[in-house]
Amino acid sequence: MADSTASAGSANAAAHPVYVIGGGPGGLAVAYALRAQGVRAVVLEKSDRVGASWRRHYDRLRLHTTRRLSGLPGLPIPRRFGRWVSRDGVVRYLEKYAEVHRLEIVTGVEVSRVERSADGTGWLLRATGGRELTGSAVVVATGCNHTPHVPDWPGRDSFRGELVHASQYRDPEPYAGRDVLVVGIGNTGAEIAVDLVEGGAGRVRLAVRTAPHIVRRSTAGWAAQYTGVLVRRLPVALVDRLAKPMAKLSVPDLSAHGLPRPDTGLYSRVNEGSIPVQDVGLIDAVRKGKVEIVGPVEGFEDGKVVLGDGGRVETDTVIAATGYRRALEGLVGHLDVLDGRGKPVVRGPRCPENAPGLYFTGFTNPISGMLRELALDAEKIAKAVARKGGVATRDAVTVQIRAAR
């Protein structure tokens, strides 16, 4: 893979490629879609390989979306990967995707800041090694799972056990026979809790602040994702009403085990950023007492975990499945293109009004499936870029990216 710096002093914006920041599914899909439109795209990936975040996920992870609805533009996921593709399957697919489409990918380059170019016709990217790259347009595809977040719990430093973020968890082997508290009941926390039980942990507790909506990943062969696609554009209140009786039919009441049914509607929660938990064994584990539900973590005191009800928990390990930060502030925060939560104000083919030529993809977690929406966004972004013109074609002047020495 080539190393790159845009040739300084080019007055013609059309000589510059579109830079795609991030070599995950979103970035690769956009790069392919741009090439399909005849636009030159260069992917900048800070790690040494594509799909870096997928490589770091825990071993048992499988997509909660179906293989057929998770492929990126121009290359379906092979049938041999099964209906629910494994983590390693996703990684192999992304590698093959980049290879088949001959995408122009530069690894080992981290972009720290995006600015308007001096002549106002494009964008200047400041990257590692003193690089300054000029692009006709920029697509930010660094993803939601960028920077692990562990709450600054009071007394955290006094905890004598092991405290790790879920991003550091790989498999249950190191926790065999141990007492483990998993904090957070999103899909990651729920699945890690089940993995620990199946892997022989001595005791597994799951700290829950807000009871989630739980759905079956598949019922009689009908994937939950199919329903998500069908209701994607329906009014929120209508979907909330439809989901309530369906939940009662498909998911048992776990109130006696500490997981009451949520007070707010399923789709209302999705709009707040909370995706339903897809059941991969959690329901049975909770009903059988193998995963114990406890209150939210409020802090640490005298080496113990302090819960929301004032109780104290002694445990060997705390695994914080407490999410990630998009961490876009340093990259584009100065451009006034983020909302109060650090999320891009627009996504897909739309640019912020004050930043034409700047696109974002992969910063939402839709009910219809992240990979499906990334694929749709990629083609819309590529068409928008090509329609506006002023971009380098694949046959344009070669732009070399050379490391600053």
Side-chain angles (χ1 to χ4, degrees), residues 172-184:
E173 184 178 354
Y175 306 99
R178 300 183 69 182
D179 186 309
V180 184
L181 173 66
V182 180
V183 184

Side-chain angles (χ1 to χ4, degrees), residues 19 21 44 46 109-117 122-135 137-140 142 146 327-338 358 360:
Y19 281 110
I21 306 174
L44 303 176
K46 69 177 182 179
V109 174
E110 181 174 8
V111 179
S112 57
R113 189 175 174 90
V114 176
E115 304 172 355
R116 291 296 296 179
S117 60
W123 293 93
L124 176 68
L125 287 70
R126 300 189 185 278
T128 48
R131 297 173 178 87
E132 293 186 354
L133 314 174
T134 302
V138 173
V139 183
V140 181
T142 50
H146 186 274
L328 292 171
E329 289 78 7
L331 186 68
V332 296
H334 56 285
L335 298 172
D336 193 26
V337 295
L338 306 177
L358 180 63
F360 296 89

Side-chain angles (χ1 to χ4, degrees), residues 158-160 299-306 312-314:
S158 69
F159 181 56
R160 294 188 291 271
F300 295 83
E301 191 174 283
D302 298 327
K304 298 179 181 179
V305 182
V306 181
R312 303 289 192 274
V313 170
E314 283 193 79

